[in-house]
Structures are given as structure tokens and as C-alpha cells.
């Protein structure tokens, strides 16, 4: 069973939190792959997702965070993939919370608002760096929130 299916099949608890982590990592990797192609971060996200699926089955550990880039400035394509992933994770969490604008998502929404303020068609490196930072923080917030929500 894939991460996309497993997270919806399990009851709340540690296994579902691990399945959420696999879901988030797979979503992140899939969106980056679609926007930018293969990279070290994509490969690492898929590897961590596989480890999370094992953890959902009771074997192994769940990583504390999504993989991070080694450099501070992202390409436009990488930013698009990160943004698409954050939008997808936020949508899932809002649905899980049964509220379009739940207060639990305020920190994620703040990062999305920052991204919306900075987003332009051809951002220079300085803005791409700020966009990448805001997206990374938002993705980390969504990942952590999902893990907490799936255990209750």
C-alpha cells in the first residue's frame, strides 16, 4: 500500500503519524520531481518516505524533518515544486481538521502569505533565497503538525 493510501486507512496513533510522514515526504518528492526533475533532495525524500512506511508497520524510526537543500538559493522550478508540495500538505491538513482555515494552520498560512508577497515571475537570487526559506519553514511546520494530528 502506498503512502497516499495508508495514511487514510490507519486509525489515529503512532502508525498513522508515520504514514503521514511518508505521505508528506512522498508528496514533497513527487512535486519536486514534477517541477524540477531528479535531485539529491528528491532521492532523500523518497528514501525517508520508505523508512516511514516501515515505521508505520512497526519497524524503524520516523525522520524528524523533511530533507533540506545544501545551498540557500533555490531555482524557480525548485520553488514551484516546494510551493506545490506545501499547498498540497496544507489542503490535506485543513481537510483533516474539517475546517478551511483552522487556527492550527496559522504558522503554515503565515509562510504561505510570505511566499505570496514575494512571488514574482523571475525572482533574483535574493528573493529566491527568501522564498526558499519561507517554503522550507512552512513545509517543516506542516510536516510536524501532521505528525501531531495523526496521533490524536
Amino acid at each position: 500500500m502506498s503512502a497516499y493510501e495508508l495514511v487514510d486507512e490507519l486509525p489515529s496513533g503512532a502508525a498513522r503519524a508515520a504514514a503521514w510522514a511518508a505521505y508528506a515526504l512522498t508528496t514533497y518528492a513527487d512535486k519536486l520531481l514534477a517541477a524540477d526533475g531528479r535531485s539529491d533532495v528528491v532521492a532523500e525524500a523518497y528514501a525517508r518516505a520508505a523508512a516511514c512506511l516501515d515505521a508505520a508497520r512497526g519497524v524503524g524510526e520516523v525522520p524528524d524533518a523533511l530533507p533540506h537543500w545544501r545551498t540557500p538559493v533555490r531555482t524557480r522550478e525548485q520553488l514551484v515544486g516546494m510551493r506545490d508540495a506545501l499547498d498540497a500538505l496544507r489542503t490535506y491538513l485543513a481537510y483533516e481538521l474539517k475546517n478551511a482555515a483552522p487556527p492550527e494552520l496559522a504558522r503554515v498560512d503565515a509562510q504561505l502569505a510570505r511566499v505570496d508577497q514575494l512571488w514574482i515571475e523571475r525572482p533574483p537570487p535574493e528573493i529566491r533565497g527568501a522564498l526558499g526559506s519561507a517554503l522550507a519553514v512552512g513545509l517543516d511546520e506542516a510536516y510536524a503538525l501532521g505528525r501531531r494530528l495523526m496521533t490524536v
Side-chain angles (χ1 to χ4, degrees), residues 2-11 16 19 23 92 95-96:
S2 77
Y4 292 122
E5 298 163 332
L6 187 60
V7 70
D8 291 327
E9 299 293 323
L10 294 171
R16 187 162 191 230
Y23 172 88
Y92 187 101
Y95 181 79
E96 182 71 22

Side-chain angles (χ1 to χ4, degrees), residues 50-133:
C52 290
L53 288 174
D54 289 342
R57 294 179 188 102
V59 180
E61 299 278 325
V62 176
D64 290 332
L66 299 170
H68 288 258
W69 302 91
R70 291 183 178 92
T71 58
V73 179
R74 308 280 45 85
T75 66
R76 184 179 189 294
E77 292 77 15
Q78 291 166 341
L79 293 170
V80 167
M82 292 172 76
R83 188 179 192 180
D84 289 348
L86 184 53
D87 283 338
L89 296 180
R90 193 236 179 260
T91 299
Y92 187 101
L93 292 169
Y95 181 79
E96 182 71 22
L97 291 162
K98 298 170 183 32
N99 186 341
E104 296 88 346
L105 280 174
R107 293 168 71 163
V108 173
D109 289 341
Q111 296 306 316
L112 280 169
R114 179 160 168 70
V115 168
D116 288 343
Q117 289 172 342
L118 293 171
W119 198 268
I120 58 175
E121 187 59 33
R122 291 188 191 106
E126 297 82 8
I127 293 178
R128 285 187 284 125
L131 284 165
S133 293

